[in-house]
Amino acid sequence: DIKLKELVDELYKIKSIDKEGQEWSQKNYPGGYTSYSSMNQLHRFSTSFEVLQKQIDKEVKKFAKNLDLDLGSGSLFMSHFWANIMPPGVTHSMHIHPLSVISGSFYVQTPRNCSSINIRFNGVYKWRNVFHPQFLTSRLKSCWRSIV
């Protein structure tokens, strides 16, 4: 089971030891922290993040099935997994990960009165071509409830 409190505690421990990530964030992510440039495979060295990765993998599999993604003989796997910490007032600009098949965010902690959705798939990519939001909108509406 995913223990959100343990993940929050571990995120702040990672931030405290990740000097390279702190320096990068200071220049590129003012007010926030990301392990993107320094520790981007958290699921490979943290049991807490490995547990989360396994749960996300299940959701990604359902998501791909609901979108009728034809993977041929291939399979989906998580290649990168990093953390962002965004205090109030910090923003993270919309962007894409074009070398990914599916990209998403898992919210470990959100402010009070925010949505209770913990996972959001930001992009679905196929052979470096982005499926545009107009294409995904109707598909997502039909499968979103089964994912969350």
Side-chain angles (χ1 to χ4, degrees), residues 92-130:
H92 195 76
S93 61
M94 193 62 178
H95 59 280
I96 63 170
H97 302 128
L99 299 177
S100 299
V101 175
I102 295 177
S103 177
S105 301
F106 180 85
Y107 296 88
V108 176
Q109 187 177 50
T110 57
R112 284 192 179 106
N113 301 321
C114 282
S115 170
S116 61
I117 294 174
N118 284 83
I119 192 166
R120 183 182 85 200
F121 296 111
N122 302 333
V124 179
Y125 314 95
K126 190 173 182 182
W127 303 285
R128 295 189 178 182
N129 293 318
V130 176

Side-chain angles (χ1 to χ4, degrees), residues 21-59:
Q22 289 176 33
E23 289 175 17
W24 190 92
S25 298
Q26 202 169 26
K27 292 176 193 165
N28 301 286
Y29 198 29
Y33 163 76
T34 181
S35 67
Y36 167 76
S37 68
S38 54
M39 300 174 81
N40 62 14
Q41 296 193 354
L42 297 177
H43 60 302
R44 300 236 166 102
F45 70 83
S46 160
T47 304
S48 301
F49 283 95
E50 181 183 20
V51 168
L52 178 57
Q53 177 238 331
K54 288 177 181 176
Q55 185 62 43
I56 289 172
D57 283 350
K58 290 177 188 174
E59 299 303 323

